[in-house]
Amino acid sequence: MTTEFASLQGRARIHAALGDPARLAIVDALTLGDASPGEIAHDLGMPTNLVAHHVKVLTEAGLVVRGRSEGDRRRTYLRLRPETLATLTPPPLTDVGRVVFVCTRNSARSQLAAALWASRAGMPAASAGTKPASRVHPRAVAVAHRHGLHLDPTGTAHLNQVAHDGDLVIAVCDNAHEELTGRVRPRLHWSVPDPVRVDTDAAFEAAFTDLAARVDRLAPVINSGDRHD
């Protein structure tokens, strides 16, 4: 059994333990503080034998541990193990140097993604296109400015001029993802609708919001040991 498969099995066991509403309620109750099984039963209006069953499942999944009271040694308290919940996130991406965002024209989505990544993740980023335009779209420059970011209006480039070995290449449009089948291939694909096709401020805001959420999800799973100042 590989380490990766064992990790998946462990995560699946945690998900299964959390799949019951009563067990999820117990986890919620323990999120901010510890409690005895009797206190859990009282607070949740649940029979004590049912609480015992659910606590057993949560304990076997590594989500909850018991500790004996320092006062009344007959009493035990349940404590949540937040480090176990943390394992539910995807495994970290390793061997990541710089992140390069690519779309067809390098005039909107890839530019915004690179600016967001540099701002929010604090890691090196670049952007490029498979058929780069001569300039960044004015609405992309404007939406970046509204959110406190700067885009160079003339800063477009071809992917072949930008990508290097060790880069994490992310396609932020479907065309780039499907076109890149040679030496440089995207490791990740974000299917972000093209705001240029609609060409409204609302479309560019929607693309910005989509990209920002994706950046925030990805940044924590980049292995911290691979980050560069």
Side-chain angles (χ1 to χ4, degrees):
M1 181 185 299
T2 65
T3 302
E4 181 179 357
F5 184 71
S7 174
L8 287 172
Q9 282 191 320
R11 289 168 62 197
R13 186 166 59 250
I14 297 167
H15 278 291
L18 294 172
D20 184 282
R23 290 196 286 272
L24 188 56
I26 293 172
V27 169
D28 285 345
L30 295 174
T31 298
L32 299 180
D34 306 337
S36 69
E39 290 168 338
I40 291 289
H42 178 269
D43 292 344
L44 298 181
M46 194 182 301
T48 55
N49 61 333
L50 190 56
V51 169
H53 164 72
H54 289 313
V55 167
K56 181 174 184 292
V57 174
L58 292 169
T59 301
E60 290 175 347
L63 285 160
V64 169
V65 293
R66 290 175 178 269
R68 195 164 295 281
S69 168
E70 293 181 352
D72 184 347
R73 300 295 291 174
R74 296 168 299 177
R75 180 188 284 264
T76 61
Y77 289 108
L78 305 173
R79 177 172 60 85
L80 187 66
R81 298 184 66 217
E83 65 272 20
T84 301
L85 288 173
T87 66
L88 296 179
T89 59
L93 291 179
T94 58
D95 302 321
V96 175
R98 184 180 58 161
V99 180
V100 176
F101 296 94
V102 58
C103 62
T104 304
R105 303 286 283 167
N106 190 214
S107 65
R109 289 165 290 182
S110 56
Q111 294 278 350
L112 292 170
L116 278 161
W117 187 262
S119 173
R120 298 193 177 195
M123 294 175 61
S127 70
T130 55
K131 301 179 182 66
S134 59
R135 295 181 65 83
V136 178
H137 196 286
R139 291 190 192 274
V141 175
V143 74
H145 180 74
R146 286 196 295 273
H147 291 275
L149 302 176
H150 172 74
L151 298 184
D152 178 2
T154 62
T156 59
H158 194 281
L159 181 61
N160 291 341
Q161 300 172 306
V162 174
H164 304 296
D165 292 341
D167 288 338
L168 171 62
V169 178
I170 302 176
V172 293
C173 81
D174 298 338
N175 286 332
H177 175 66
E178 294 160 11
E179 289 174 10
L180 292 172
T181 59
R183 181 187 66 84
V184 179
R185 299 190 64 182
R187 187 169 172 184
L188 296 175
H189 172 214
W190 295 352
S191 184
V192 180
D194 185 4
V196 176
R197 292 189 178 186
V198 182
D199 200 16
T200 63
D201 287 345
F204 277 81
E205 284 286 352
F208 184 93
T209 299
D210 189 350
L211 290 165
R214 291 173 184 268
V215 164
D216 289 343
R217 288 199 300 272
L218 177 62
V221 302
I222 299 293
N223 192 307
S224 60
D226 298 313
R227 299 195 179 206
H228 298 266
D229 294 328

